[in-house]
Amino acid sequence: ATQTKSMDVGRADSGIGQMPARKWRNRASETLSSLQAWEAHRLCTDCGERDLPVETDVQNCNQRRADLCEKCRKRRTERKESVLEFVNTEASYGEDLRIIKEEFYLPMQAAGLLSQEQLLGIFSNIQELIDLNENFLEILQEEIDQAFDQGDADLMTVCIGEVFLEFVNMLPAFQTYCLQQSSSVNMLNTLEKEKELLRIFLNVSQNDNTALRRMNLRSFLMAPLQRVTKYPLLLSRIIKATTEYHPDHGSLREAKSRIESHLEHINMKTKQEGNTWTLRSFRQDSKKKREVINIEMRETALKTVGWLREETRFVMEGSLQLAQPPDGQWVKKGSKTLKFQNMQVLLLVNMKRVSESSLESAEPGPVKDAVLVLIRDKNNGKFHLLREPLRLSNCIVSTDPDCDDTFELIEIRREAFVFRDSDRARTHHWFRQIRRYSRELGSWKKRRNALPNIMISTPHTRP
């Protein structure tokens, strides 16, 4: 009897009868239905639309993809494939460049088949392209690896556009190679006819060297041209699969515009030099035409100052009106008495390189020098330098309250210039930028406590 009583006590329930339990099960069922309804109508994390499937991706445990509508899932897959295609084709292009160097250039140099001048004529700046490709590919691969390490299976954190803009210095290197391509092929054809040993070497390499995939040297020399013309297509694919809210969307569009402008510029230079071949042509609207003109002016400015491209930053560029007053009385008479002429003006800054890496060298560093390049734009598309560049370390920049639509730049012990823009706000922006570098670099500020004019009677205390 005692055992029976203890067993009865052990079977005692929690105190919830049949009716409350049934109500609890009904409420749980209603809650589950509500959650399923919310699951079906919640917002997509990419596009913000209510077009999600009812079932979630429980098997893959990928909650981020479960928060996407079917359209955005497909778009993410396409974007990932496009990003990987960009990186993988960049790696393949780099492998072709190394084949050019290791299977052709170095053996021909070691065997003395061609002189150093002839090798340079055929292979152009191939080493510069190799270095740029290695640095570019290294950063791209780091972006991919970091995304996978952080659990980003869709590579949404990979910003191809931003990385491309950081390495935009590789575009002039492509231009150098492309413009020499015609003469390189002609020289190779001539030397192959003249030198029997060279002809034998090229034939044996193509037929017996498995690394060449039975391709000849001319095919490999076309690799840089094929790569630079493929960039717009690859970027377009990524742009198409990237939502406009993605942080890299603007950079992707800018990168595509920059490469297309450079291709148009290469075509223009090719025609000017009388070559019959051109790169793939692109639709040249007014915006791209202006960008091509800007590229031409930047090249003219760089050639004039003689700075390294990777150490140069173009702070401002554009059209300004310029006048050279005959005396210092123009302020009293007003700027209407001056005769202005339109001029293309570029503000260049020479930065100290922070490191050898192309990506890190883009970081702001100490300013070594700053100049103002004045270019006269002629109607035939050619540019003419007005004078030698104005070094801001030797200039004083000032403005006058009575002539707030202009500013004056005085080159110490030489000339004076008055500048203005058609837009007053932009005139002030030009003035602030030029004055900034003039004050930072000017040695005169140490002598006069940074006053623009030694005759100014403003009371101040010398340090």
Side-chain angles (χ1 to χ4, degrees):
T2 305
Q3 290 178 355
T4 302
K5 290 181 179 180
S6 62
M7 291 176 63
D8 291 340
V9 173
R11 286 187 285 110
D13 56 29
S14 59
I16 301 178
Q18 294 182 355
M19 290 298 294
R22 191 178 299 113
K23 292 181 179 179
W24 179 261
R25 286 194 296 271
N26 293 338
R27 178 167 296 181
S29 178
E30 293 174 359
T31 303
L32 179 60
S33 300
S34 299
L35 288 173
Q36 290 177 345
W38 174 83
E39 184 78 15
H41 294 88
R42 72 187 187 279
L43 297 178
C44 172
T45 55
D46 275 10
C47 65
E49 296 181 359
R50 300 180 183 273
D51 188 24
L52 293 177
V54 176
E55 64 276 9
T56 58
D57 194 2
V58 178
Q59 294 179 351
N60 296 331
C61 299
N62 194 340
Q63 187 60 37
R64 285 193 305 169
R65 294 187 67 86
D67 292 337
L68 300 174
C69 66
E70 192 63 30
K71 181 180 178 181
C72 289
R73 284 189 185 186
K74 183 178 180 181
R75 178 186 293 169
R76 283 200 177 193
T77 301
E78 292 175 354
R79 185 182 188 277
K80 178 181 179 180
E81 293 174 353
S82 301
V83 168
L84 291 177
E85 181 187 13
F86 189 99
V87 179
N88 292 336
T89 53
E90 186 70 24
S92 299
Y93 159 66
E95 191 62 31
D96 288 343
L97 292 181
R98 283 184 285 276
I99 288 176
I100 294 175
K101 178 182 178 181
E102 297 173 6
E103 305 298 335
F104 289 105
Y105 179 87
L106 292 179
M108 291 164 65
Q109 184 184 47
L113 296 179
L114 297 177
S115 65
Q116 192 62 36
E117 183 179 357
Q118 291 170 336
L119 289 171
L120 181 61
I122 293 175
F123 296 97
S124 187
N125 61 330
I126 195 70
Q127 184 59 51
E128 182 183 11
L129 294 176
I130 292 175
D131 295 338
L132 288 168
N133 167 262
E134 290 178 350
N135 293 334
F136 188 36
L137 187 60
E138 181 182 359
I139 299 301
L140 289 174
Q141 195 59 55
E142 287 180 0
E143 289 277 317
I144 299 293
D145 295 341
Q146 185 177 3
F148 282 133
D149 292 342
Q150 294 175 350
D152 179 15
D154 295 326
L155 303 181
M156 294 299 292
T157 57
V158 177
C159 295
I160 295 292
E162 292 183 4
V163 178
F164 193 96
L165 291 177
E166 293 288 352
F167 281 87
V168 76
N169 285 336
M170 66 183 176
L171 297 182
F174 277 108
Q175 174 180 315
T176 301
Y177 186 90
C178 292
L179 292 179
Q180 294 183 9
Q181 178 63 19
S182 180
S183 60
S184 298
V185 173
N186 292 336
M187 178 178 290
L188 178 61
N189 293 336
T190 302
L191 292 173
E192 192 174 3
K193 293 178 181 179
E194 295 176 353
K195 296 180 177 291
E196 183 179 1
L197 289 179
L198 175 63
R199 185 167 60 253
I200 294 174
F201 168 78
L202 294 177
N203 290 334
V204 171
S205 298
Q206 179 180 353
N207 296 323
D208 297 342
N209 191 339
T210 56
L212 304 187
R213 309 187 298 274
R214 301 189 68 84
M215 294 169 54
N216 57 27
L217 175 57
R218 293 173 186 80
S219 300
F220 282 101
L221 290 177
M222 290 296 293
L225 281 71
Q226 295 169 348
R227 185 58 185 172
V228 72
T229 53
K230 197 173 182 181
Y231 279 135
L233 177 61
L234 295 171
L235 291 172
S236 295
R237 291 177 182 173
I238 302 177
I239 293 172
K240 185 178 179 180
T242 302
T243 176
E244 60 180 356
Y245 303 109
H246 193 280
D248 196 39
H249 189 268
S251 297
L252 286 167
R253 288 193 170 277
E254 183 181 354
K256 180 175 178 288
S257 177
R258 295 285 288 274
I259 181 64
E260 288 182 347
S261 299
H262 270 273
L263 291 176
E264 289 288 354
H265 177 64
I266 293 173
N267 280 338
M268 181 186 69
K269 297 285 287 185
T270 301
K271 293 178 181 178
Q272 290 178 356
E273 295 181 4
N275 293 329
T276 56
W277 68 273
T278 59
L279 295 174
R280 176 187 172 191
S281 61
F282 296 88
R283 183 175 58 85
Q284 186 172 343
D285 53 21
S286 57
K287 180 180 179 181
K288 287 192 174 59
K289 185 175 181 180
R290 289 195 302 270
E291 180 63 23
V292 169
I293 293 175
N294 290 340
I295 295 172
E296 186 78 11
M297 288 195 302
R298 292 174 200 146
E299 286 197 345
T300 303
L302 272 177
K303 188 181 298 184
T304 303
V305 298
W307 296 345
L308 295 176
R309 191 181 302 273
E310 58 269 20
E311 295 183 357
T312 304
R313 185 161 63 91
F314 292 88
V315 180
M316 289 191 70
E317 53 188 288
S319 177
L320 281 179
Q321 295 179 352
L322 176 144
Q324 292 185 265
D327 52 39
Q329 302 298 320
W330 68 272
V331 176
K332 295 181 179 179
K333 300 176 183 178
S335 59
K336 294 181 179 180
T337 60
L338 298 176
K339 184 178 180 180
F340 286 91
Q341 57 179 325
N342 292 325
M343 196 71 54
Q344 296 291 336
V345 182
L346 294 90
L347 175 57
L348 284 70
V349 175
N350 192 5
M351 314 291 291
K352 291 183 179 178
R353 186 183 297 183
V354 177
S355 87
E356 294 298 325
S357 170
S358 299
L359 186 64
E360 295 179 3
S361 64
E363 296 295 329
V367 177
K368 292 194 295 185
D369 201 356
V371 298
L372 212 61
V373 179
L374 309 178
I375 298 178
R376 195 193 306 275
D377 187 4
K378 293 187 176 181
N379 296 329
N380 57 4
K382 296 183 179 180
F383 300 99
H384 172 70
L385 287 173
L386 178 67
R387 65 185 308 283
E388 62 184 20
L390 292 167
R391 299 199 172 274
L392 298 187
S393 57
N394 298 328
C395 296
I396 300 172
V397 186
S398 60
T399 186
D400 192 280
D402 296 332
C403 300
D404 60 347
D405 61 336
T406 61
F407 64 91
E408 186 176 19
L409 185 145
I410 301 177
E411 192 177 15
I412 298 176
R413 296 188 300 274
R414 295 191 67 179
E415 300 176 89
F417 302 88
V418 177
F419 294 95
R420 73 179 181 187
D421 193 281
S422 56
D423 180 60
R424 183 168 299 186
R426 187 163 174 81
T427 301
H428 294 167
H429 185 55
W430 272 100
F431 166 69
R432 288 191 296 268
Q433 290 290 341
I434 296 175
R435 183 180 60 176
R436 169 192 169 188
Y437 293 106
S438 174
R439 287 182 171 181
E440 287 183 5
L441 299 170
S443 57
W444 51 268
K445 66 180 182 180
K446 300 177 182 178
R447 301 194 306 270
R448 305 197 214 156
N449 200 28
L451 287 178
N453 194 319
I454 197 170
M455 301 304 294
I456 293 180
S457 60
T458 306
H460 63 277
T461 305
R462 292 186 178 273

